[in-house]
Amino acid sequence: MLAQEFIRAKRDGAVLAPDDIKAFIGALTDGSLSEGQAAAFAMAVFFRGLEQGETVALTRAMAQSGDMMDWSHLNLPGPVLDKHSTGGVGDNVSLMLAPLVAACGGFVPMISGRGLGHTGGTLDKLDAIPGYNSRPDAEHFKRVVRDAGAAIIGQTKRLAPADQRLYAIRDVTATVESIPLITASILSKKLAAGLQGLVMDVKSGNGAFMPTLERAEALAASIVDVAKACGLPAAALITNMDAPLAPVAGNALEVSQAVAWLKGAREDARLREVVMAVGVRMLRLGALAASDEEAAEKLAKALDSGAAAERFARMVAALGGPGDFVERPEKYLPVAPVQLSVPAVQAGFVDAIATRALGLVVVELGGGRRRAEDSIDAAVGLSGLALPGQFVERGAPLALVHARDRATAEAAGARVLQAYQLSAKAGAQPPLIMASRG
Ligand code: URA
């Protein structure tokens, strides 16, 4: 079928045939399709949607557009599992969960992305570790997964290249927020990674791409159903992103906090709740526990014994980072030259936080990108963030800004202050785990 006829069919609301979808994705991958045609297709899907069968065909075609990883020849003594978050602020769950699940017997080949919009990216966080190679070749990646149980790396050129091309086009044509396109984009990479189980953490709230619970539920259902139709067992949790998850946001700051958490500093109950809930689903999907209680016990033991921290250390060293990184992260992580406290102007309970605005403060400090080609400043960000329900005295800090210079620190501090709403009475907080699927 001619590309323009294929696009016209979707524009007019027709259901596309799997073979035509495959041919279209083939042309997208080999470059014979123009950027304009790919963009027109994305916009047609944005408005017309896709039926589940079409999304399955699109996902499979994009997964098969490059290498498909196969773990069978390694005879791994456990299931190949992964989790994926749709993105948020202060969401460093992957850094803790990958080694934690590895310590419980799973193997986690995690292919993660860079920051997108106001959200942070796991890859940018790990790139804050000197020497860490987030782009190893396939053999090195497999060795690290086999030996450390987990490896977190970036998408290579050979993994789902059709998604790489289409994603870059969607990013600049206002076609990111399409449920079938997000589904196919995420799952194509996960299928190509050869997983045996996937848990999605779909974020909902004012710091998420899916602001309403209804849209988050629709995305969770789409991902779980399409994954299963493609032969990948999957489950999803919808978790609240009306506030940063960790009390920090920024690349080196989130790595430092994750390492401290793995080593035993676990004062933040919200973070623990999400790590544990997603971890339980992963162990159950991989048949590493027979009940949720057993899974939670296993995870707690792996944390408390230091086994999860040890897996993180092994992963970092195997990917070229310092051998003593977990013992002494402060020796290696960059520190911003200016630190400025943001005092509350009145006493009160933290009632609401404009989370997206906090994510944008980190971007403006240099911790995220304004354009795709920008480099980022790993040292900057926010720490000590006051979290929902917390009482803050007048003059006590709402956050600490980490910046390159005083002027940007002060501008960021003013925006942080605006992002917080305090009230005299402690308001009811929404549940952190809002719904689940699969
Ligand atoms: N993350 C992805 O990998 N793809 C999307 O489309 C959105 C988020």
Side-chain angles (χ1 to χ4, degrees):
M1 193 188 240
L2 285 172
Q4 58 268 45
E5 289 305 303
F6 177 85
I7 298 162
R8 177 197 294 265
K10 183 43 65 187
R11 183 199 70 186
D12 294 344
V15 177
L16 304 169
D19 282 350
D20 291 339
I21 292 176
K22 202 169 166 193
F24 188 81
I25 292 303
L28 177 73
T29 312
D30 69 22
S32 53
L33 196 76
S34 75
E35 204 162 301
Q37 288 171 320
F41 170 70
M43 193 57 90
V45 173
F46 183 90
F47 283 115
R48 290 292 191 172
L50 293 180
E51 289 192 353
Q52 186 180 306
E54 296 173 285
T55 311
V56 169
L58 182 66
T59 303
R60 283 213 176 103
M62 294 208 317
Q64 290 163 0
S65 66
D67 292 349
M68 299 287 281
M69 296 199 77
D70 176 14
W71 300 92
S72 61
H73 65 284
L74 292 182
N75 292 319
L76 298 173
V80 181
L81 303 170
D82 196 5
K83 61 81 65 168
H84 189 82
S85 159
T86 54
V89 178
D91 176 11
N92 55 357
V93 166
S94 292
L95 301 180
M96 291 162 266
L97 205 47
L100 184 52
V101 170
C104 292
F107 289 85
V108 188
M110 189 178 279
I111 294 166
S112 50
R114 300 191 175 276
L116 186 64
H118 66 283
T119 67
T122 303
L123 204 57
D124 293 330
K125 295 170 200 176
L126 286 165
D127 281 342
I129 302 174
Y132 190 97
N133 176 11
S134 56
R135 308 263 175 203
D137 63 35
E139 286 316 308
H140 186 183
F141 179 44
K142 283 185 179 171
R143 265 200 319 277
V144 180
V145 171
R146 184 193 63 198
D147 298 342
I152 309 178
I153 67 158
Q155 185 175 1
T156 64
K157 284 199 173 67
R158 296 162 66 102
L159 194 110
D163 170 63
Q164 293 190 38
R165 183 152 189 239
L166 187 58
Y167 192 89
I169 293 168
R170 285 168 58 215
D171 199 19
V172 293
T173 54
T175 48
V176 170
E177 301 94 335
S178 151
I179 286 178
L181 293 180
I182 295 175
T183 301
S185 169
I186 291 174
L187 288 181
S188 61
K189 288 169 282 207
K190 300 297 171 188
L191 287 179
L195 301 182
Q196 291 160 344
L198 170 70
V199 179
M200 279 301 302
D201 180 4
V202 178
K203 301 286 181 198
S204 170
N206 69 31
F209 285 114
M210 294 286 140
T212 66
L213 181 56
E214 197 187 6
R215 291 276 293 164
E217 280 181 326
L219 179 60
S222 170
I223 292 178
V224 170
D225 296 349
V226 171
K228 286 181 178 167
C230 291
L232 172 59
L237 293 177
I238 297 167
T239 64
N240 186 280
M241 189 33 79
D242 278 325
L245 193 55
V248 291
N251 297 293
L253 293 165
E254 289 186 50
V255 173
S256 166
Q257 194 269 345
V259 171
W261 195 89
L262 286 169
K263 290 201 298 185
R266 271 171 236 131
E267 69 290 345
D268 192 75
R270 286 162 47 81
L271 195 53
R272 185 181 177 97
E273 193 179 338
V274 173
V275 171
M276 287 299 181
V278 180
V280 164
R281 300 309 324 142
M282 289 176 80
L283 297 201
R284 293 300 306 280
L285 262 191
L288 289 166
S291 66
D292 287 6
E293 294 69 33
E294 187 192 330
E297 251 171 55
K298 252 183 135 164
L299 292 165
K301 214 163 148 188
L303 262 182
D304 297 339
S305 66
E310 192 271 327
R311 293 297 180 134
F312 188 88
R314 248 199 260 176
M315 173 184 84
V316 169
L319 283 166
D324 61 347
F325 182 73
V326 166
E327 285 103 84
R328 288 188 292 163
E330 65 288 348
K331 187 171 153 199
Y332 299 105
L333 290 171
V335 175
V338 176
Q339 274 138 43
L340 183 77
S341 179
V342 184
V345 289
Q346 67 183 79
F349 292 91
V350 176
D351 200 29
I353 303 175
T355 313
R356 187 169 182 277
L358 288 187
L360 291 174
V361 169
V362 177
V363 175
E364 281 167 23
L365 283 166
R369 297 178 184 78
R370 290 164 200 265
R371 290 168 311 169
E373 61 275 21
D374 285 353
S375 60
I376 59 169
D377 185 343
V380 300
L382 305 169
S383 68
L385 289 163
L387 292 174
Q390 188 177 325
F391 184 76
V392 185
E393 295 284 0
R394 179 164 179 253
L398 289 169
L400 190 65
V401 176
H402 300 249
R404 265 303 128 195
D405 57 62
R406 187 98 199 153
T408 45
E410 281 170 4
R415 281 194 294 276
V416 169
L417 201 54
Q418 275 174 3
Y420 273 87
Q421 190 179 306
L422 303 191
S423 71
K425 273 204 204 141
Q429 296 302 324
L432 199 48
I433 312 291
M434 303 170 84
S436 66
R437 172 108 188 175

